[in-house]
Amino acid sequence: MKLLKRILKIVGISAGAFILIVTLLALFTQTQFFKDRLRVILASSISTNINGTLHLGTIEGNFLSGFSIDSLAIFDDKGILITTGKITCQYDIVPVFEKRLKMKYLIIEQPKIRFVRSMDGKWNLSNIIKPSADTTAGKLDWVLQFDDVELKNANIVLIDSVSLLAPDHWNMPSSYFEYHDFSVNDLNIKLNAIIQEKNIRTRINHLSCYSPQSQFELTHFKGDISLSDKEISVKNTIIQTGKSYLEIDASISKINIFEGIQLEDLEHDSTRLQFRAKNIDLSELKSFIPQINFLNGSAFVNLTANGEFGNLTINHLNLKTLRNTLNVSGNISNLHKPDQLYLNVIIGDSKIVPADVPKLLPGLPLPPFKEDEALEFTTTFIGKPVNFRTRTTLHGIKSRAEITGRLNLESAPPSYDFSFVTSRVNLSDYFDLGGIRALISTNGTITGSGFSFDDLSTKLDMSIDSSDIQNIHLNNS
């Protein structure tokens, strides 16, 4: 009994001493002396590891559960690199003893970051951090848990002087997104994350921003992103802009992003993709991809695909734009070797309205088709994008056309070999013939090579059968 009382007495004294020490420590951390000394120590310690100057504003808080800094700034030899407004964080210190950092929230207000690449080819962010003498790769044996991370009203500026002055740089109109000179304003992010050795999981609850140069507005982005040594996945992803709305679920298994990614190594990696766009504004899309500047309008897209990365099956691709519908299925091979990309796809149960085509492709020199009725069509495409064979069939109410052949853009000069058959095609439905009525039935072939006057060598064989031109009947010619 005496032993038990003695143990309890020791425990009581120890607990009291611990509480007293914690209380004194908490009171000491509230003194201005401690806060000023801590600010100087932190600024000095960080400054010795950067090629620049660090400024820390006033520090507040008890440091046992959290603290705040009213401002932060990092300067390099060319000026301001990073500035922020108030930084607030709250944490739980108990899990530290289990090698677990638990951040209840981290809020950074009005951060501003400038990424600048000078003519020597170096980025300012890479220059600011001094190289470490320790070149060994350390292992992360802690768990970093961030319950709430927020950026409020952030601003990012990027200027890549090297790329802007490169001979092959495109000088695009201001409505296009300039990847080498842009700013992002009003960037707001809210997320949570868990970071472990070779395992990162984050949930982006909201992300929005605005780029004034191209007037692009991202109104909402959310998604669950997971990176491990076995898989990359993006789930429950929504991308909503001022003009478009997209949903994405995708994953690649057997991939270890932490050891670097070589495209050819992805050949047998299991891949899954679900993509749904309730609306893609093509004018907005081409501001990021100028190569498709001939497109216009908007589209609905629904795509499901799965299989090995190097042998991907398109289960279904449904695309709708204006009054046109495409349904595509098939196989894409050699995604891991883009120069050997091979397609075996069929477009079936589809329809196209000829009068819509010039509206969708205003950047191409197409005639103003008059036909306003839908044509049903099927197409097969087998081969590389630059060397393929195809067969296309179109059906109208009374007309029919079929084109079969191959095109080889890899040869020099390019070569082609096509055959065609048309039946009762009313040309006046497609072209303005000045009131002339022409029902044409033909068959023939076109073979040759080259497209320019310097290397053009083409042979056309065509016969006209059972046709009517302005009430003149032609049997065969």
Side-chain angles (χ1 to χ4, degrees):
M1 190 69 177
K2 291 182 178 180
L3 179 62
L4 177 60
K5 290 182 178 180
R6 187 175 181 183
I7 292 174
L8 292 175
K9 184 178 181 180
I10 294 173
V11 171
I13 293 174
S14 299
F18 176 76
I19 293 173
L20 178 62
I21 292 172
V22 170
T23 302
L24 291 175
L25 181 61
L27 291 173
F28 178 65
T29 59
Q30 297 302 300
T31 64
Q32 193 61 44
F33 171 79
F34 174 81
K35 294 175 182 177
D36 290 342
R37 291 302 303 164
L38 178 64
R39 183 168 64 87
V40 171
I41 292 171
L42 286 174
S44 175
S45 176
I46 297 174
S47 294
T48 57
N49 291 288
I50 62 174
N51 294 310
T53 304
L54 171 70
H55 166 78
L56 286 177
T58 302
I59 300 177
E60 300 289 346
N62 59 28
F63 299 97
L64 296 179
S65 62
F67 65 91
S68 66
I69 304 173
D70 71 355
S71 63
L72 177 149
I74 298 177
F75 302 82
D76 62 9
D77 57 355
K78 294 182 176 62
I80 295 176
L81 177 64
I82 300 173
T83 65
T84 75
K86 188 176 182 179
I87 301 174
T88 307
C89 66
Q90 188 175 53
Y91 42 78
D92 188 350
I93 64 170
V94 175
V96 169
F97 301 105
E98 301 174 351
K99 288 190 173 183
R100 186 181 188 93
L101 173 63
K102 183 177 181 181
M103 188 74 67
K104 293 182 178 179
Y105 61 78
L106 171 63
I107 302 173
I108 305 175
E109 300 179 21
Q110 297 179 325
K112 297 180 180 179
I113 307 175
R114 286 178 57 85
F115 296 96
V116 179
R117 187 186 186 195
S118 56
M119 292 306 298
D120 63 4
K122 295 182 179 179
W123 290 94
N124 58 348
L125 198 62
S126 63
N127 288 335
I128 197 70
I129 301 175
K130 292 181 179 179
S132 174
D134 184 6
T135 59
T136 59
K139 182 180 179 180
L140 178 64
D141 55 358
W142 281 62
V143 177
L144 310 181
Q145 179 179 333
F146 298 90
D147 293 341
D148 182 21
V149 177
E150 297 183 40
L151 292 185
K152 295 186 175 181
N153 299 319
N155 179 275
I156 298 175
V157 175
L158 183 144
I159 302 174
D160 183 355
S161 301
V162 175
S163 297
L164 289 173
L165 296 176
D168 58 349
H169 177 260
W170 290 8
N171 292 315
M172 296 179 292
S174 58
S175 60
Y176 285 77
F177 191 87
E178 172 55 80
Y179 290 93
H180 309 112
D181 183 6
F182 67 88
S183 63
V184 175
N185 298 343
D186 299 325
L187 173 62
N188 292 279
I189 303 175
K190 183 178 177 64
L191 61 85
N192 57 69
I194 295 179
I195 302 174
Q196 299 173 273
E197 175 73 11
K198 296 184 178 181
N199 192 349
I200 300 174
R201 301 189 305 277
T202 181
R203 169 169 290 177
I204 300 175
N205 299 300
H206 175 74
L207 187 155
S208 62
C209 63
Y210 175 74
S211 183
Q213 291 87 351
S214 61
Q215 298 184 5
F216 171 75
E217 181 181 14
L218 177 62
T219 58
H220 182 55
F221 175 93
K222 62 165 290 189
D224 300 330
I225 302 172
S226 176
L227 309 174
S228 72
D229 56 356
K230 297 181 176 62
E231 183 183 53
I232 298 175
S233 70
V234 179
K235 299 179 179 179
N236 306 315
T237 303
I238 294 176
I239 303 173
Q240 187 170 359
T241 73
K243 300 177 181 179
S244 304
Y245 183 93
L246 318 176
E247 298 175 354
I248 303 173
D249 279 88
S251 66
I252 301 180
S253 302
K254 302 180 183 179
I255 183 174
N256 187 350
I257 192 174
F258 300 100
E259 294 183 355
I261 298 177
Q262 296 294 328
L263 196 59
E264 292 190 359
D265 295 338
L266 304 182
E267 179 180 2
H268 300 295
D269 291 355
S270 179
T271 304
R272 177 187 60 85
L273 172 63
Q274 290 182 308
F275 175 83
R276 177 182 171 87
K278 293 183 179 178
N279 181 65
I280 294 180
D281 186 88
L282 299 178
S283 62
E284 185 178 65
L285 182 62
K286 68 186 181 184
S287 69
F288 290 91
I289 311 175
Q291 291 84 352
I292 61 170
N293 63 353
F294 54 87
L295 293 175
N296 200 19
S298 61
F300 165 90
V301 180
N302 191 6
L303 167 65
T304 59
N306 68 288
E308 293 185 347
F309 186 83
N311 188 24
L312 194 65
T313 298
I314 302 175
N315 299 312
H316 183 64
L317 168 60
N318 175 240
L319 187 151
K320 298 178 181 178
T321 177
L322 295 180
R323 295 170 293 177
N324 308 280
T325 301
L326 298 181
N327 289 292
V328 184
S329 61
N331 182 268
I332 302 177
S333 303
N334 299 331
L335 275 172
H336 62 294
K337 294 181 178 180
D339 58 332
Q340 299 179 27
L341 187 66
Y342 193 90
L343 308 177
N344 186 349
V345 298
I346 180 170
I347 303 174
D349 190 22
S350 302
K351 65 179 182 179
I352 185 171
V353 178
D356 288 347
V357 175
K359 300 175 184 177
L360 296 170
L361 306 172
L364 298 180
L366 299 174
F369 298 125
K370 295 175 57 181
E371 176 59 63
D372 207 41
E373 296 294 331
L375 299 177
E376 296 181 359
F377 77 98
T378 60
T379 296
T380 58
F381 184 104
I382 302 174
K384 298 181 179 179
V386 292
N387 186 2
F388 60 89
R389 66 181 186 273
T390 182
R391 178 180 180 181
T392 300
T393 303
L394 297 100
H395 290 275
I397 298 175
K398 297 181 180 179
S399 61
R400 181 178 180 275
E402 181 177 310
I403 302 173
T404 305
R406 66 180 305 140
L407 173 65
N408 185 357
L409 298 175
E410 292 182 314
S411 62
S415 61
Y416 39 88
D417 182 0
F418 288 94
S419 63
F420 58 89
V421 177
T422 66
S423 176
R424 308 297 289 173
V425 176
N426 189 350
L427 296 182
S428 60
D429 287 342
Y430 301 93
F431 309 100
D432 187 359
L433 301 180
I436 297 177
R437 183 174 179 272
L439 289 173
I440 302 296
S441 297
T442 66
N443 64 81
T445 61
I446 179 170
T447 59
S449 61
F451 297 111
S452 67
F453 287 110
D454 295 332
D455 56 19
L456 182 64
S457 176
T458 301
K459 179 182 179 181
L460 172 64
D461 291 322
M462 184 177 70
S463 63
I464 299 176
D465 184 32
S466 300
S467 300
D468 294 286
I469 300 178
Q470 202 67 356
N471 297 323
I472 299 176
H473 185 71
L474 302 176
N475 284 323
N476 196 317
S477 64

